């Protein structure tokens, strides 16, 4: 007989098409919460109103909750029942007051969803479905309520009590507890609920909005971390001003608080008026944070702040619409960051990120459209497709509309849907209406998964150039036949002899399978610059020669296209080197030399342009990835570049050494960046003093950018200085968990052959723990994207990942599931590796008690 208790239950599938409006609305909520880490008592009072035909009972979601009391209109009732994790309450009238009481245990909450303890404080995370772990509620984003929250807690242990909205009242009780009441006047979905109770210090600031509202800003951290919060506070003020200037959006409450916590499943959370952040996206000083960290902090602070309009004031009708808020908000934070420094470098970084995370998603078993049709666990859909490809969709519409109409369309969207829960369709309809364009076929971007491939070939014949474009959207799981998409392609021709543009840039909307575009009056041989600024998130296959690409790397006036030409030249060389064992490196060497010698270029741009594509991205170009061959081809090219341009790298390294103390300015950042790129090439050249040079930089650095840059070089090498540097680094930062994460991560990313063994040993290190998501990701997540080490032929990398993932799933399913995708890439590898990866996926799927998060990812990875 089948044991029903242990039979693996396949989780229910939720479908977009099955959306029904809520049967009951909850215009008002009052929560009374007696906080205690072991037992917190939550009393909820909901004003509910009927929104469907009579007869429909009230259904409240609850995850792991038992009702201690249920009252309707002040009277205790017994005719409630529990059905599939829902509390079902029959209600006769059209409006009632429903009260429930539950107990929860924040200390035992290792999932970090709902109310949990972190570093001795109590905090919440509710998106997407965490509120149902705090109290019974219709936990769906289209039920918008105003919240009144009263918290009581031991005063000595939790002197600070924060929640959404504005503080109303507070007081002390005779028993050593105190209380505070907060009220949020803006109706919001439950996923935006938040509270924090803790022993926290505050970096305060003020911001006056353009209509004169004085907003009190607070960044709350452990007392000792206060000196590391100025950068985040500055970023917040800059974001507030930027959103007023660029989108006309003002802040709407009298207070805006941000709290940093150490244990957090992702980056940060945009709870109304009370953002809660992973401390890695708040804390920074020169000694502990890199330039990359400083940039990321500003971006995430801006992103969460921008959600106040794109997400909170206008929220999502259901979770299938997630990209409505996430894609748009990423697009907004990208625009913000582009305005803080080099827009060209920002675009390069964003496209590099898209190619590293979203393109593999789109070509693998977990591919899904920007607006998915179904899911088992919504937490698995906070993906690069929803966020980063979603942002590219907004960018394409902005390109098609132009800046003035795009702004008008955003205004229309915010005005029309303020205070409501909207859909992606609503957003596109606003773009159409205010932009006066037809986006009927553009909508395919929301429903079709897969990265389109565009082939471009240019024929020149007697004064006429003909550009032939054709597109193909590859099949993805569940979508075998694709229709052609609408692709906005910015393009321009350049004269091969003069190096001058042959006419202005054009925006071509390719919306059929193929199209020819004719250019007349083209006397000299034209070279094609296409998808400038990466105007469409596609892969371009062109017939441009190495000479054409080198030409564009020198003459193109679009910085992204210039970078792209260089990358394509490198990629072609590296693919040839991988497949044939050797390739001529001269064209790349000449193009790199040319770029280094060009005084007109921004050093920040040069640093990105001379970097080789990553091993993973080279692998993505191959039918079957051979990780060792990719590594060898890339090292061979790096070595040749290092030796052929040795004097230049030395010169750059010497002349960009800083004489002033650390400064986070675009110029100082660029100098550090190009210097670290130069150090990498000096090491790649095999120079005998490379390790000594890196070690000297490591020891003398007054900032983490230079220190970690040097450590990274040493850690992939085999000098004796390697261990010394690792020990010095570890001892210097023992007790600083964010920096120790870097210590783990740097080793997990090493290109040495002993990395798999080293990583397995690090998992036994006393400072390693699966309970802290940052630490788990710094070792396991980093290792799984180290193509050479993770894919070591004996399968030890795969086994390690599966072991860790199974262990982590028992504590924290969301974070475990996020680590799984590298195992799903088995189709990209040879049969032996594919079999080893599949075996680990089978082992995971067969694990008793597996979460639905990991089950969905692993089972789809086996099928797709
Ligand atoms: N909205 C949150 C992400 C929540 C993730 C839930 N699994 C942070 C953000 O995108 O701004
Ligand atoms: Zn977001």
């Amino acid at each position: 007989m089948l044991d029903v208790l242990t039979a693996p239950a396949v989780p229910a599938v939720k479908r977009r098409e099955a959306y029904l409006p809520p049967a009951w609305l909850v215009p008002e909520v009052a929560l009374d919460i007696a906080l205690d880490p072991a037992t917190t008592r939550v009393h909820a009072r909901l004003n509910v109103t009927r929104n469907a035909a009579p007869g429909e009972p009230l259904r409240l979601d609850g995850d792991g909750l038992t009702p201690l009391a249920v009252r309707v209109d002040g009277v205790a009732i017994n005719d409630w029942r529990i059905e599939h994790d829902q509390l079902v309450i029959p209600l006769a009238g059209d409006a009632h007051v429903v009260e429930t009481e539950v107990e929860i245990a924040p200390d035992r909450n290792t999932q970090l969803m709902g109310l949990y303890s972190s570093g001795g404080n109590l905090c919440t995370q509710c998106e997407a479905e965490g509120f149902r772990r705090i109290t019974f509620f219709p936990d769906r984003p289209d039920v918008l309520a105003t919240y009144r929250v009263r918290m009581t807690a031991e005063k000595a242990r939790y002197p600070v009590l924060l929640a959404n909205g504005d503080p109303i009242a507070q007081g002390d009780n005779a028993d050593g507890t105190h209380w505070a009441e907060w009220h949020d006047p803006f109706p919001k979905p439950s996923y935006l609920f938040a509270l924090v109770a803790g022993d926290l210090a505050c970096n305060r600031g003020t911001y006056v909005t353009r209509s004169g509202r004085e907003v009190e800003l607070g960044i709350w951290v452990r007392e000792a971390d206060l000196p590391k919060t100025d950068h985040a506070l500055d970023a917040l003020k800059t974001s507030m001003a930027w959103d007023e200037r660029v989108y006309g959006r003002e802040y709407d409450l009298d207070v805006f608080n941000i709290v940093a916590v150490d244990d957090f499943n992702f980056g940060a959370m945009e709870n109304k008026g009370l953002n809660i952040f992973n401390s890695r996206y708040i804390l920074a000083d020169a000694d502990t944070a890199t330039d990359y960290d400083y940039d990321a902090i500003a971006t995430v602070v801006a992103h969460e702040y921008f959600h106040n309009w794109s997400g909170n004031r206008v929220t999502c009708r259901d979770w299938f619409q997630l990209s409505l808020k996430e894609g748009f908000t990423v697009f907004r934070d990208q625009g913000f960051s582009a305005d803080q420094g080099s827009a060209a470098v920002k675009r390069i970084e964003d496209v590099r990120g898209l190619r590293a995370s979203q393109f593999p998603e789109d070509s693998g078993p977990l591919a899904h459209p920007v607006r998915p049709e179904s899911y088992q666990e919504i937490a698995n859909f906070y993906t690069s497709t929803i966020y980063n490809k979603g942002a590219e969709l907004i960018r394409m519409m902005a390109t098609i509309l132009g800046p003035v109409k795009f702004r008008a369309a955003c205004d229309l969207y915010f005005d029309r849907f303020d205070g409501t829960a909207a859909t992606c369709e609503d957003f596109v309809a606003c773009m159409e209406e205010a932009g006066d364009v037809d986006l009927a076929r553009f909508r395919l971007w929301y429903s079709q998964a897969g990265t389109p491939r565009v082939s471009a070939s240019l024929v020149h014949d007697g004064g006429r150039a003909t550009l032939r474009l054709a597109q193909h959207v590859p099949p993805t799981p569940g979508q075998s036949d694709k229709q052609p998409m609408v692709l906005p392609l910015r393009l321009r021709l350049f004269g091969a002899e003069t190096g001058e543009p042959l006419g202005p840039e054009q925006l071509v909307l390719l919306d059929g399978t193929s199209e020819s575009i004719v250019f007349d009056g083209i006397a000299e041989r034209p070279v094609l610059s296409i998808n400038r600024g990466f105007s469409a998130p596609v892969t371009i296959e062109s017939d441009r020669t190495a000479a054409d690409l080198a030409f564009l790397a020198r003459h193109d006036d679009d910085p992204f296209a210039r970078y792209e030409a260089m990358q394509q030249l490198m990629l072609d060389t590296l693919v040839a080197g991988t497949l044939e064992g050797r390739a001529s490196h001269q064209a790349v060497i000449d193009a790199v030399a040319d770029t280094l010698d060009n005084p007109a270029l921004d050093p920040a741009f040069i640093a990105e342009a001379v970097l080789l594509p990553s091993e993973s991205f080279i692998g993505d170009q191959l039918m079957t990835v051979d990780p060792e061959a990719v590594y060898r081809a890339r090292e061979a090219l790096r070595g040749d570049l290092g030796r052929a341009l040795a004097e230049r790298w030395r010169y750059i390294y010497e002349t960009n050494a800083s004489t002033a103390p650390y400064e986070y300015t675009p110029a100082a950042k660029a100098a550090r960046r190009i210097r670290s790129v130069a150090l990498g090439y000096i090491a790649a050249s095999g120079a005998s003093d490379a390790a000594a040079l890196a070690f000297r930089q490591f020891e003398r650095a007054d900032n983490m950018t230079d220190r970690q840059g040097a450590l990274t070089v040493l850690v992939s090498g085999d000098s004796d200085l390697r261990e010394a540097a690792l020990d010095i680094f570890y001892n210097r930062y023992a007790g600083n968990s964010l920096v120790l994460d870097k210590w783990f991560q740097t080793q997990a990313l090493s290109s040495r052959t002993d990395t798999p063994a080293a990583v397995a040993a690090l998992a036994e290190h006393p400072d390693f723990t699966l309970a802290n998501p940052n630490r788990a990701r710094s070792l396991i997540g980093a290792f799984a994207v180290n193509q050479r080490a993770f894919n070591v032929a004996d399968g030890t990398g795969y086994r390690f990942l599966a072991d860790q993932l199974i262990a982590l799933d028992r504590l924290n399913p969301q974070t475990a599931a996020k680590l799984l995708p590298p195992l799903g890439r088995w189709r990209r590898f040879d049969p032996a590796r594919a079999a080893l990866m599949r075996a680990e996926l089978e082992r995971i799927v067969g694990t008793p008690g597996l979460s639905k998060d990991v089950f969905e990812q692993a089972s789809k990875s086996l099928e797709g």
Side-chain angles (χ1 to χ4, degrees):
M1 195 186 85
L2 188 67
D3 181 353
V4 287
L5 289 175
T6 56
V10 176
V13 175
K14 302 227 167 61
R15 294 189 193 282
R16 184 174 70 90
E17 277 177 3
Y19 174 82
L20 286 175
W24 288 86
L25 300 177
V26 188
E28 279 176 54
V29 182
L31 298 174
D32 191 346
I33 306 180
L35 290 161
D36 179 88
T39 312
T40 288
R41 186 169 269 251
V42 182
H43 174 271
R45 181 189 152 102
L46 318 181
N47 287 24
V48 303
T49 56
R50 189 179 289 283
N51 191 45
E56 272 299 311
L58 175 69
R59 293 176 185 274
L60 305 176
D61 300 298
D63 177 359
L65 303 180
T66 310
L68 302 175
V70 180
R71 277 187 288 277
V72 174
D73 301 324
V75 180
I77 61 154
N78 293 318
D79 59 346
W80 53 266
R81 59 184 195 275
I82 296 286
E83 248 178 50
H84 311 294
D85 276 355
Q86 287 186 321
L87 171 62
V88 183
I89 304 174
L91 294 176
D94 290 337
H96 295 278
V97 176
V98 172
E99 291 169 88
T100 64
E101 235 173 284
V102 296
E103 278 180 359
I104 51 179
D107 257 358
R108 293 207 300 275
N109 184 351
T110 60
Q111 294 185 32
L112 314 183
M113 286 298 287
L115 178 70
Y116 65 93
S117 303
S118 175
N121 299 324
L122 297 172
C123 65
T124 54
Q125 171 55 39
C126 292
E127 188 176 0
E129 297 181 336
F131 193 65
R132 63 186 63 186
R133 294 166 53 78
I134 297 175
T135 190
F136 284 105
F137 198 77
D139 195 11
R140 43 187 285 171
D142 57 352
V143 173
L144 276 61
T146 57
Y147 285 67
R148 187 172 289 275
V149 180
R150 185 186 162 100
M151 295 163 280
T152 308
E154 192 190 320
K155 187 169 184 177
R157 200 163 166 189
Y158 305 107
V160 175
L161 300 174
L162 306 171
N164 311 93
D166 295 309
I168 303 293
Q170 60 183 55
D172 291 339
N173 298 320
D175 61 355
T177 62
H178 68 149
W179 59 272
E181 211 173 298
W182 290 67
H183 176 242
D184 181 359
F186 290 94
K188 65 169 178 286
S190 50
Y191 81 85
L192 290 173
F193 168 81
L195 71 78
V196 171
D199 188 0
L200 298 163
C202 184
N203 187 354
R204 284 182 204 281
T206 49
Y207 180 83
V208 180
T209 69
R210 67 176 179 184
S211 67
R213 177 191 289 275
E214 192 168 316
V215 185
E216 198 180 315
L217 311 174
I219 313 261
W220 299 83
V221 297
R222 262 185 302 265
E223 174 97 48
D225 287 331
L226 263 189
K228 297 183 187 164
T229 53
D230 286 343
H231 176 60
L233 185 58
D234 285 348
L236 175 58
K237 292 176 187 166
T238 314
S239 312
M240 295 175 90
W242 189 90
D243 213 15
E244 290 181 356
R245 188 162 48 80
V246 180
Y247 282 87
R249 297 293 125 197
E250 261 185 60
Y251 189 61
D252 49 13
L253 288 163
D254 296 334
V255 300
F256 186 83
N257 287 313
I258 294 180
V259 179
V261 300
D262 290 339
D263 304 287
F264 206 69
N265 280 341
F266 29 87
M269 180 64 211
E270 70 263 25
N271 318 300
K272 182 81 187 187
L274 177 56
N275 287 186
I276 298 182
F277 270 61
N278 187 324
S279 54
R280 68 174 295 198
Y281 292 114
I282 290 295
L283 304 180
D285 64 13
D287 185 50
T288 56
T290 61
D291 292 336
Y292 176 86
D293 296 325
Y294 273 81
D295 289 350
I297 287 167
T299 298
V300 178
V301 167
H303 179 100
E304 306 310 332
Y305 173 71
F306 296 157
H307 268 315
N308 190 55
W309 274 95
S310 48
N312 301 3
R313 289 287 287 258
V314 182
T315 193
C316 299
R317 186 192 74 173
D318 55 71
W319 292 121
F320 298 101
Q321 320 295 331
L322 181 57
S323 196
L324 175 70
K325 74 177 178 82
E326 295 305 347
F328 187 25
T329 305
V330 170
F331 175 74
R332 278 151 56 67
D333 83 50
Q334 289 176 347
F336 167 81
S337 300
D339 284 351
Q340 310 307 309
S342 162
V345 168
K346 175 63 181 158
R347 188 67 185 135
I348 289 168
E349 288 168 351
D350 290 340
V351 174
R352 197 184 278 149
L354 188 81
R355 286 173 169 161
S357 57
Q358 200 279 325
F359 278 24
E361 203 164 274
D362 238 354
S363 64
L366 301 174
H368 54 277
V370 168
R371 185 188 54 214
E373 292 301 334
S374 68
Y375 61 77
Q376 293 172 9
E377 171 50 62
I378 184 57
N380 288 331
F381 283 79
Y382 286 75
T383 60
S384 186
T385 298
I386 302 296
Y387 277 67
N388 304 96
K389 188 173 181 179
E392 295 300 320
L393 268 53
I394 309 297
R395 185 177 297 272
M396 286 189 283
M397 289 188 277
T399 301
I400 293 170
L401 266 65
V404 174
K405 286 180 174 169
F406 178 68
R407 169 63 199 273
C410 291
D411 288 350
L412 176 64
Y413 168 72
F414 286 126
D415 291 350
R416 183 174 289 169
F417 295 103
D418 189 8
T420 72
T423 62
C424 297
E425 172 54 32
D426 293 332
F427 186 89
V428 177
C430 289
M431 294 286 130
E432 261 179 332
E433 198 174 318
D436 197 19
V437 287
D438 178 359
L439 296 170
R441 299 209 44 257
F442 183 87
R443 285 171 170 76
L444 281 169
W445 278 105
Y446 281 95
S447 56
Q448 281 193 166
T451 307
R453 305 186 80 84
V454 176
S455 70
S457 78
L458 188 63
V459 178
H460 184 225
D461 189 12
R464 165 171 285 193
T466 307
L467 173 62
R468 292 207 177 86
L469 296 173
Q471 63 161 307
H472 168 69
V473 189
T476 48
Q479 294 187 335
S480 46
D481 289 323
K482 299 285 174 62
Q483 295 174 49
M485 310 274 246
V486 178
L487 314 179
L489 296 169
R490 287 171 45 205
L491 53 89
R492 193 171 198 179
L493 302 183
F494 289 86
E497 279 98 60
T498 57
E500 294 297 320
L502 305 173
E505 178 181 284
Q506 298 192 19
L507 177 65
V508 170
L509 286 183
L510 175 64
D511 63 357
T513 308
S514 63
E515 191 174 319
S516 286
I517 299 153
V518 173
F519 303 81
D520 281 315
I522 305 291
E524 55 179 316
R525 188 177 77 81
V527 181
L528 172 68
S529 168
I530 188 169
N531 207 21
R532 293 152 66 83
F534 203 67
S535 57
V538 302
T539 300
I540 302 281
E541 292 156 351
S542 79
D543 55 3
R544 292 173 297 187
T545 62
D548 290 344
L549 294 169
F551 168 89
L552 290 169
R554 179 191 288 232
H555 294 289
D556 204 315
D557 63 341
D558 178 78
F560 180 81
R562 194 171 190 139
Y563 160 84
E564 187 73 341
M566 188 89 132
Q567 288 289 298
Q568 193 61 51
L569 180 61
M570 291 168 168
L571 206 52
D572 292 349
T573 306
L574 289 162
V575 167
T578 303
L579 296 176
E580 289 146 32
R582 58 199 305 270
S584 165
H585 293 162
Q586 200 54 48
V588 173
I589 292 170
D590 291 344
V592 169
D594 221 53
T595 303
L596 293 176
D597 293 347
N598 188 338
L601 295 175
D602 171 9
F605 172 83
I606 295 176
E608 303 310 319
V610 303
L611 275 183
L612 296 181
S614 70
E615 287 169 53
S616 316
F617 192 57
I618 302 164
D620 291 345
Q621 316 307 312
L622 305 168
M623 291 288 287
T624 302
V625 188
D626 178 344
E628 281 299 318
V630 169
Y631 171 75
R632 277 197 305 271
R634 192 170 180 278
E635 284 307 293
L637 180 53
R638 252 165 46 86
D640 276 358
L641 279 165
R643 286 179 292 272
L645 307 176
E647 281 171 26
R648 286 180 176 84
W649 301 125
R650 293 277 168 173
Y651 179 78
I652 290 169
Y653 190 73
E654 300 308 332
T655 53
N656 283 284
S658 157
T659 47
Y662 177 86
E663 259 191 324
Y664 175 70
T665 58
K669 263 170 60 183
R672 282 187 290 272
R673 177 76 170 148
I674 196 154
R675 190 163 187 259
S676 106
V677 170
L679 179 64
Y681 277 115
I682 293 169
S685 75
S688 57
D689 65 339
L693 212 57
F695 193 74
R696 195 176 64 191
Q697 174 175 324
F698 175 80
E699 279 196 306
R700 295 190 182 173
D702 74 341
N703 66 81
M704 182 53 81
T705 308
D706 289 344
R707 192 171 294 124
Q708 194 185 2
L711 184 67
T712 300
V713 167
L714 288 167
V715 162
S716 281
D718 49 17
S719 138
D720 294 346
L721 297 169
R722 178 183 192 275
E723 287 302 314
L726 280 169
D727 286 351
I728 293 169
F729 192 93
Y730 176 81
N731 290 321
R732 178 177 174 131
Y733 294 109
N736 184 326
S737 56
L738 293 177
V739 184
L740 281 190
D741 290 341
K742 298 182 193 300
W743 186 79
F744 281 99
Q745 185 192 28
T746 305
Q747 296 178 76
L749 291 173
S750 164
S751 61
R752 283 163 57 109
T753 46
D754 64 357
T755 296
V759 167
L762 283 169
E764 304 296 320
H765 191 281
D767 286 308
F768 184 73
T769 170
L770 290 171
N772 176 262
N774 287 357
R775 186 58 49 82
R777 287 186 283 254
S778 72
L779 185 68
I780 304 163
F783 173 65
V785 297
N786 181 341
Q787 180 164 281
R788 184 183 191 216
F790 176 60
N791 295 293
V792 61
D794 65 4
T796 48
Y798 308 145
R799 194 175 330 123
F800 172 79
L801 177 60
D803 286 344
Q804 296 293 329
L805 209 143
I806 290 168
L808 180 54
D809 189 45
R810 291 185 200 114
L811 297 173
N812 186 336
Q814 269 193 26
T815 295
K818 280 255 186 298
L819 295 173
L820 189 131
L823 275 177
R825 297 180 51 67
W826 55 271
R827 275 184 200 278
R828 308 279 307 117
F829 289 83
D830 54 90
R833 283 189 174 87
L836 291 164
M837 290 163 108
R838 285 186 59 92
E840 296 304 333
L841 286 169
E842 307 266 12
R843 180 159 73 93
I844 292 169
V845 171
T847 302
L850 201 66
S851 69
K852 68 173 171 169
D853 307 59
V854 170
F855 177 83
E856 178 175 34
Q857 299 299 74
S859 55
K860 285 183 176 171
S861 294
L862 278 166
E863 287 160 17

